[in-house]
């Protein structure tokens, strides 16, 4: 199974597996191309490996990135079979343009945490520190779901942040923290967990305002329609829910 970043120019019903019963091995063939939010990188990579194991000969190819950029690529005709977004708004853009084959289903939820380098060298304690000019800060750009969620948190806290960098997806923000290039950032708590040992997470009261629903849907122009629906069912199956929960995602 390959996790590929495709070029930009390429760009709730209950299915069988969604009800907890796996579909027969061998029922799906060929390549399944999945466009998924960057925060799903670890979990979807793992689920893709499981899916391939259940369907010998199937190849799952991922394009991970900011949900808004992925939605734009799909709208421009990128060859994708499945879209999994970190926010309903980006899925709605695709659906409203007739881009989904079935109604999108929310399969997980996520919320933000403050991420700091191991040891928290700047002594960051809460959102108020994001307004301190002496604290180097990384945030997601507002047009991507993690940035929109961060905006809600700062508004609830009455804080005007002073970001040193704005990134196009949450993994780019996390990398800034992992490398010690910034003192603090807002990322999903699942990202903090994925970087355990390199990054520490700090919860904050306004996190309840940052909860994002994650919808998934097969796409209308899927080249592998059967594979698309089977992968969606796999994500929503008991196995999918278990992998997501282990990573720190909340159930819808």
């Amino acid at each position: 199974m390959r996790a590929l970043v495709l070029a930009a120019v390429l760009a709730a019903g209950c299915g069988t597996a969604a009800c907890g019963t796996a579909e027969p091995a061998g029922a799906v063939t060929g390549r399944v191309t999945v466009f998924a939010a960057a925060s799903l990188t670890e979990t979807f990579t793992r689920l893709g490996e499981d899916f391939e194991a259940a369907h010998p000969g199937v190849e799952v190819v991922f394009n991970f990135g900011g949900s808004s950029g992925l939605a734009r690529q799909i709208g421009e005709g990128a060859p994708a079979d499945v879209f999994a977004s970190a926010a309903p708004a980006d899925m709605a853009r695709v659906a409203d343009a007739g881009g989904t084959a079935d109604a999108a289903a929310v399969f997980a939820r996520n919320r933000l945490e403050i991420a700091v380098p191991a040891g928290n060298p700047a002594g960051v304690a809460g959102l108020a520190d994001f307004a301190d000019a002496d604290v180097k800060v990384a945030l997601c750009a507002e047009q991507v779901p993690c940035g929109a969620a961060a905006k809600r948190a700062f508004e609830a806290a009455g804080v005007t942040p002073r970001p040193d960098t704005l990134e196009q997806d949450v993994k780019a923000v996390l990398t800034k923290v992992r490398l010690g290039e910034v003192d603090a950032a807002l990322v999903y708590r699942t990202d903090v967990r994925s970087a355990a040992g390199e990054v520490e997470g700090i919860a904050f009261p306004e996190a309840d305002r940052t909860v994002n629903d994650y919808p998934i849907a097969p796409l209308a122009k899927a080249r592998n329609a059967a594979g698309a629906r089977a992968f969606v069912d796999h994500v929503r199956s008991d196995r999918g829910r278990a992998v997501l929960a282990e990573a720190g995602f909340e159930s819808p």
Side-chain angles (χ1 to χ4, degrees):
M1 190 270 298
R2 295 181 293 160
L4 301 180
V5 178
L6 305 180
V9 294
L10 295 179
C14 180
T16 303
C19 292
T21 304
E23 68 221 75
V28 180
T29 61
R31 173 180 291 185
V32 181
T33 302
V34 179
F35 279 32
S39 50
L40 293 166
T41 299
E42 291 82 12
T43 50
F44 267 37
T45 298
R46 186 172 172 187
L47 289 173
E49 292 169 351
D50 290 347
F51 189 75
E52 289 179 345
H55 302 283
V58 168
E59 179 186 30
V60 182
V61 177
F62 291 108
N63 179 19
F64 294 111
S67 296
S68 59
L70 297 177
R72 182 177 62 254
Q73 291 175 37
I74 291 168
E76 293 171 350
D81 299 309
V82 175
F83 180 37
S85 172
D90 296 304
M91 180 64 75
R93 287 173 52 197
V94 175
D96 290 348
T100 57
D102 299 334
V106 174
F107 65 95
R109 291 192 170 106
N110 212 350
R111 67 181 65 213
L112 298 184
E113 276 191 352
I114 297 170
V116 297
N120 192 9
V124 172
L127 291 185
D129 292 306
F130 285 71
D132 187 340
D134 293 329
V135 176
K136 293 182 179 179
V137 169
L139 296 174
C140 290
E142 286 186 12
Q143 66 265 31
V144 295
C146 56
K151 181 181 179 181
R152 297 196 301 269
F154 288 122
E155 288 175 346
V159 172
T160 301
R162 299 171 60 103
D164 294 274
T165 182
L166 294 171
E167 303 297 331
Q168 293 303 309
D169 67 64
V170 72
K171 290 302 185 186
V173 174
L174 182 66
T175 296
K176 296 286 185 181
V177 184
R178 295 176 78 160
L179 296 177
E181 295 179 2
V182 296
D183 300 311
L186 284 184
V187 301
Y188 294 113
R189 68 177 184 176
T190 54
D191 296 300
V192 172
R193 185 173 296 191
S194 74
E198 299 176 274
V199 169
E200 296 178 11
I202 301 170
F204 56 95
E206 297 80 9
D208 286 344
R209 301 288 293 273
T210 73
V211 178
N212 277 358
D213 286 347
Y214 281 58
I216 188 170
L219 296 176
K221 295 183 179 180
R223 296 181 178 181
N224 189 344
R229 286 189 168 92
F231 186 82
V232 170
D233 280 349
H234 182 60
V235 170
R236 301 180 62 209
S237 69
D238 290 344
R239 169 61 178 170
R241 288 192 291 268
V243 170
L244 289 160
E246 184 180 344
F249 287 94
E250 300 173 23
S251 297

